[in-house]
Amino acid sequence: MIKLVLTDVDGTLTTDRDTYEIDLDAIEILRLLEKRGVKVGLVSGNSYPVLRGLYTYFNFHGGLVAENGCVVYYNNNMVKVCEEIDKNLALEFEREFKVRNSWQNEFKYCDLSFTPPLLPENMISWAKERNLYIKTSGYAIHISRSLSGKGIGVRKLIELHGLDKSEVLGIGDSNTDIEFLQEVGFKVVVGNGDKEVKKIADYITFNKSGKGVVEIITKLLRGEING
């Protein structure tokens, strides 16, 4: 039985992968799912304040994982599960590659993000030399001290719930969701997701982004998915 649904935000709860517009049909059906007794949580590279605001106004109760796995919130407790990153690295990265510091970095502890989201090999080499995690979500490049990405935070959140991974369904769209989905029992990737993350999916939706979320949650509500 699925008792917890965890979903990415950008590209998954939005109307497409190139917009920040939230798909309201996706939020509506996820709130219906909560009314049926299945908790919903958010997993994202966004900063804790941004994600906590969305979580509060969406009226979800399954907790959240912010900063690509580094910050976990559940049941009125916020925990940092990654080593904090030196903000001077953001300035170094910005100068080296002529990228833009995200406005969210001011509010982050462990994961820093930059735009544009293109990730060439020289950036990957730079990160490896400094033992840093680096990936692109399609919205931004992310660097952190955590080498396990969203997975470490998702693992902690599931532990706080006291659940087995078989009781958790995860939904994502990008390569930054691979480590996250590896920690859940049923892996869903929306139809317009990255090729690499689709390789590990148990279900790939026919529809894109938010409409893909509506598709899979409809199936869950109908009892067509039991984990």
Side-chain angles (χ1 to χ4, degrees):
M1 280 290 290
I2 298 298
K3 297 180 180 178
L4 174 66
V5 168
L6 299 176
T7 176
D8 173 52
V9 177
D10 296 321
T12 304
L13 289 183
T14 50
T15 56
D16 209 333
R17 295 192 71 200
D18 57 357
T19 179
Y20 294 101
E21 180 185 5
I22 293 292
D23 190 310
L24 299 180
D25 290 335
I27 304 307
E28 182 178 3
I29 200 166
L30 287 168
R31 291 177 72 176
L32 175 60
L33 186 67
E34 283 230 337
K35 290 177 182 177
R36 300 284 179 87
V38 179
K39 290 184 178 180
V40 178
L42 301 176
V43 180
S44 174
N46 283 301
S47 65
Y48 174 72
V50 168
L51 210 57
R52 178 71 187 278
L54 289 173
Y55 175 81
T56 300
Y57 284 99
F58 290 165
N59 198 31
F60 295 160
H61 299 89
L64 63 86
V65 177
E67 292 195 35
N68 276 322
C70 291
V71 179
V72 177
Y73 170 83
Y74 180 59
N75 201 21
N76 293 320
N77 290 307
M78 189 269 274
V79 183
K80 299 174 197 171
V81 293
C82 303
E83 178 185 345
E84 292 196 24
I85 193 167
D86 184 351
K87 295 292 181 73
N88 288 324
L89 279 171
L91 299 175
E92 181 184 341
F93 192 75
E94 189 176 27
R95 287 195 300 266
E96 178 78 16
F97 299 108
K98 306 297 187 293
V99 291
R100 295 188 300 277
N101 240 313
S102 168
W103 63 270
Q104 291 198 50
N105 287 346
E106 180 181 352
F107 309 101
K108 288 189 168 188
Y109 303 104
C110 311
D111 174 280
L112 302 176
S113 50
F114 307 84
T115 55
L118 302 175
L119 185 59
E121 285 298 323
N122 58 343
M123 287 186 185
I124 296 172
S125 298
W126 181 91
K128 283 183 178 178
E129 289 170 6
R130 292 157 179 80
N131 201 32
L132 295 171
Y133 169 97
I134 187 166
K135 271 194 178 179
T136 176
S137 65
Y139 282 76
I141 294 166
H142 293 268
I143 62 173
S144 75
R145 291 287 181 196
S146 168
L147 298 181
S148 56
K150 293 179 179 178
I152 186 172
V154 169
R155 193 158 57 247
K156 179 66 175 178
L157 180 58
I158 293 172
E159 176 189 316
L160 291 172
H161 275 273
L163 296 175
D164 184 83
K165 67 185 295 182
S166 64
E167 299 172 296
V168 185
L169 181 150
I171 315 171
D173 75 298
S174 83
N175 291 339
T176 59
D177 294 317
I178 291 174
E179 295 94 345
F180 150 35
L181 294 177
Q182 287 172 335
E183 296 295 329
V184 305
F186 197 85
K187 307 166 182 62
V188 179
V189 178
V190 291
N192 55 338
D194 289 335
K195 290 181 181 179
E196 286 303 308
V197 71
K198 283 181 175 179
K199 291 178 182 178
I200 67 166
D202 296 308
Y203 184 91
I204 299 170
T205 67
F206 176 78
N207 294 289
K208 66 182 181 181
S209 297
K211 292 299 181 285
V213 174
V214 173
E215 176 185 331
I216 191 65
I217 299 304
T218 299
K219 287 182 174 292
L220 185 59
L221 287 167
R222 289 174 178 170
E224 297 173 18
I225 295 170
N226 296 309

